Amino acid sequence: MRLTLDGDALAANWRWLRTQGGAAACGAAVKADGYGLGAREAVDRLAREGCRDFFVSSWAEAATLGAMPDGVALSVLHGVREADMPAALSGMARPVLNSAEQVARWKAAGGGSCDVMIDTGMNRLGLRPGEAGLLDGLAIETLMSHLACADEPDHPMNARQLARFEAVRQAIPAKRYSLANSAGTCLGGAYAFDLTRPGLALYGGVPVADDAAQRSGLRPVASIEAEVIQVRDVEAEESVGYGATWVAGLPCRVAILNIGYADGYLRGFSNAGSWRSGDAVYPIVGRVSMDLIAVQVGQEVREGDWLALDRDLPSLARVSGLSQYELLTVLGHRYQRRWT
Ligand SMILES: *Cc1c(COP(=O)(O)O)cnc(C)c1O
């Protein structure tokens, strides 16, 4: 099966997100290997576009990514554990300090320039605003916080976190301030501050799925195709696949494709998803297997043909019950990958 990745779409999505942020710089989250699509390729492409700030989760991810292009900064969101200090002090990336322990560790090592995460309500990583005193004497490059509910624009949490972050900005000196992920970047200028940090939307995710502006501004990046490795005739009353969960009402033709849950095409698509060739749409019949699925087809489909998966992440998420984030990050390692 093939995974084709559209570098122009990635670049266009970044430019669109940058515009949403007004005067703010636009960074890029490339954690989890660029949301499963390829962090190295994403960094190189977006750096050429003008992106100067990248984010990974861990020092292992930073090391795997390798040298960054000139003039480009990398930040490690999980901060520094004791075991991370050699990597962190090597200067390959900046830590995002999250806890009193991490701040003390960084200060004791004389670590230099760093980023800091303040928790404004999510209760995930970050110092509480009341711990700001611990930061005295640190050279903070980017002071950031993270939104819990930005994909629900009307959620009261957004305004609450914005107000807390405004107060933090008055209290803690830093070169730059950053609050917004993809969905936050679409909440309007007040959320942009100096730097936005989109991830999902770069890769074709639509943070608020029914938002027309986002739908027209963001292009799919990943295209998945699978090959027909057998076509069979199924008689009326016969079943297809594990558990015999689908039974043919009438005689029909079924194509078997070489993709399955080991490729991140999870079982939520059993009897639910569909595949395409041109304008023809072929529904999945039966359960998704580890390496195979069955789709109901017409006479035109032959062994050796390639069928394409719908590229619209919001509708795939709806059909499968997975989030758009999961759909991307679970893609396995067996695809023939090609960036265009
Ligand atoms: C993952 C992450 C982002 C990007 O979030 P998206 O919702 O994918 O845009 C930004 N900031 C932090 C701290 C993150 O962990």
Side-chain angles (χ1 to χ4, degrees), residues 33-313:
D33 194 21
Y35 288 45
L37 303 187
R40 184 73 241 176
E41 291 83 355
V43 165
D44 290 342
R45 183 61 211 248
L46 293 176
R48 270 192 277 138
E49 226 41 57
C51 183
R52 291 291 169 264
D53 300 275
F54 292 88
F55 300 87
V56 290
S57 289
S58 67
W59 294 94
E61 286 188 348
T64 303
L65 199 44
M68 298 300 279
D70 283 345
V72 165
L74 181 65
S75 295
V76 175
L77 291 164
H78 290 186
V80 278
R81 303 164 302 175
E82 198 56 50
D84 298 322
M85 287 305 286
L89 292 171
S90 79
M92 71 165 80
R94 271 198 314 268
V96 180
L97 304 179
N98 292 297
S99 68
E101 285 80 355
Q102 291 188 0
V103 170
R105 188 173 289 133
W106 194 245
K107 278 187 175 176
S113 169
C114 61
D115 297 340
V116 168
M117 175 70 76
I118 301 289
D119 192 295
T120 51
M122 188 170 182
N123 278 307
R124 200 175 64 169
L125 289 177
L127 295 154
R128 284 191 179 268
E131 294 176 294
L134 300 174
L135 302 171
D136 289 349
L138 276 181
I140 304 176
E141 177 68 31
T142 307
L143 188 97
M144 62 186 88
S145 189
H146 193 53
L147 295 165
C149 305
D151 57 340
E152 299 172 58
D154 298 329
H155 200 294
M157 192 74 169
N158 295 320
R160 208 178 304 149
Q161 288 195 269
L162 178 61
R164 285 190 191 143
F165 193 63
E166 282 284 10
V168 162
R169 184 164 69 130
Q170 301 307 320
I172 307 175
K175 275 212 189 116
R176 298 188 301 178
Y177 298 86
S178 174
L179 178 61
N181 63 344
S182 298
T185 302
C186 300
L187 284 178
Y191 288 81
F193 293 92
D194 302 306
L195 170 67
T196 58
R197 310 185 306 270
L200 180 73
L202 293 170
Y203 309 104
V206 183
V208 177
D210 54 4
D211 185 292
Q214 292 174 34
R215 277 202 171 270
S216 60
L218 296 167
R219 286 161 50 184
V221 172
S223 304
I224 290 175
E225 295 164 287
E227 193 173 2
V228 175
I229 54 177
Q230 184 172 3
V231 181
R232 59 191 311 122
D233 293 310
V234 174
E235 305 293 334
E237 309 301 325
E238 286 186 336
S239 67
V240 173
Y242 282 123
T245 60
W246 187 85
V247 176
L250 297 169
C252 63
R253 253 162 93 80
V254 165
I256 309 300
L257 307 184
N258 61 351
I259 188 171
Y261 58 75
D263 308 300
Y265 194 69
L266 300 187
R267 297 208 319 167
F269 289 104
S270 298
N271 290 305
S274 60
W275 289 68
R276 297 169 182 276
S277 177
D279 290 336
V281 177
Y282 306 118
I284 300 234
V285 295
R287 261 187 209 158
V288 174
S289 299
M290 185 184 294
D291 321 297
L292 298 166
I293 56 171
V295 295
Q296 191 177 352
V297 297
Q299 292 300 327
E300 69 284 2
V301 173
R302 298 280 148 87
E303 218 173 285
D305 286 356
W306 288 79
L307 301 187
L309 182 61
D310 186 0
R311 304 197 306 166
D312 183 61
L313 285 168

